[in-house]
Amino acid sequence: MKIICVIEDNYGILFNHRRVSRDRLMNEKILEIVGSNKLYISPFSTSLFNTKENIIIDEDYLEHAGDNDYCFVEDKELLAYKDKINMFYLFHWNRHYPSDFSLDYQPSLDMHLIDSIEFAGSSHDDILLEVFEK
């Protein structure tokens, strides 16, 4: 499966059950990456994406996603699924925010960085996207 995740500088993704990141242009870039493929999201993430045929809302999406499916991860631990992950799209928010839930898997430890793109978002001037592959 292909994971998409947004982090702040210390790999934080949630603070007090709220996301540390939200950006309209970044969400458009995510939909561009996914294209017509399936994008699995949790119910928590539904407010970020307009309803489309290829967006699947599923509490257990990490269990149900296939090899070529994308999963937008905001509220799940990934370490137990690391062997199923074949690509990882990591958006760096380039800010230090408080967080109480952090990404528990760092793709740089056992995947290869194949691309790195900087772009301006709608709320932040500098967002970094790193793409990792097994």
Tab-separated table of all heavy atoms in Angstrom, residues 43 50 56 62 102 127:
chain	number	residue	atom	x	y	z
A	43	PRO	N	-12.737	7.964	9.071
A	43	PRO	CA	-13.817	8.946	9.255
A	43	PRO	C	-13.297	10.295	9.756
A	43	PRO	O	-13.854	11.337	9.422
A	43	PRO	CB	-14.740	8.273	10.278
A	43	PRO	CG	-14.507	6.814	10.082
A	43	PRO	CD	-13.046	6.691	9.735
A	50	ASN	N	-13.291	16.278	-0.641
A	50	ASN	CA	-14.643	16.197	-1.193
A	50	ASN	C	-14.958	14.747	-1.521
A	50	ASN	O	-14.071	13.976	-1.887
A	50	ASN	CB	-14.753	17.039	-2.466
A	50	ASN	CG	-14.629	18.522	-2.187
A	50	ASN	OD1	-14.984	18.981	-1.112
A	50	ASN	ND2	-14.125	19.265	-3.151
A	56	ILE	N	-12.512	6.111	-0.142
A	56	ILE	CA	-13.185	5.101	0.673
A	56	ILE	C	-12.978	5.447	2.137
A	56	ILE	O	-11.842	5.517	2.613
A	56	ILE	CB	-12.649	3.696	0.360
A	56	ILE	CG1	-12.930	3.379	-1.112
A	56	ILE	CG2	-13.255	2.649	1.268
A	56	ILE	CD1	-11.964	2.451	-1.726
A	62	LEU	N	-6.337	0.448	6.935
A	62	LEU	CA	-5.009	-0.155	6.809
A	62	LEU	C	-5.092	-1.667	6.659
A	62	LEU	O	-4.207	-2.287	6.075
A	62	LEU	CB	-4.127	0.229	8.001
A	62	LEU	CG	-3.760	1.711	8.086
A	62	LEU	CD1	-3.063	2.021	9.399
A	62	LEU	CD2	-2.894	2.119	6.902
A	102	SER	N	2.320	10.926	17.472
A	102	SER	CA	3.362	11.067	16.458
A	102	SER	C	3.403	9.857	15.543
A	102	SER	O	2.973	8.758	15.922
A	102	SER	CB	4.737	11.233	17.117
A	102	SER	OG	4.761	12.412	17.882
A	127	ILE	N	6.203	23.843	2.018
A	127	ILE	CA	5.847	22.465	2.359
A	127	ILE	C	6.769	21.563	1.559
A	127	ILE	O	6.973	21.771	0.364
A	127	ILE	CB	4.369	22.156	2.032
A	127	ILE	CG1	3.451	23.060	2.847
A	127	ILE	CG2	4.054	20.688	2.307
A	127	ILE	CD1	1.969	22.949	2.481
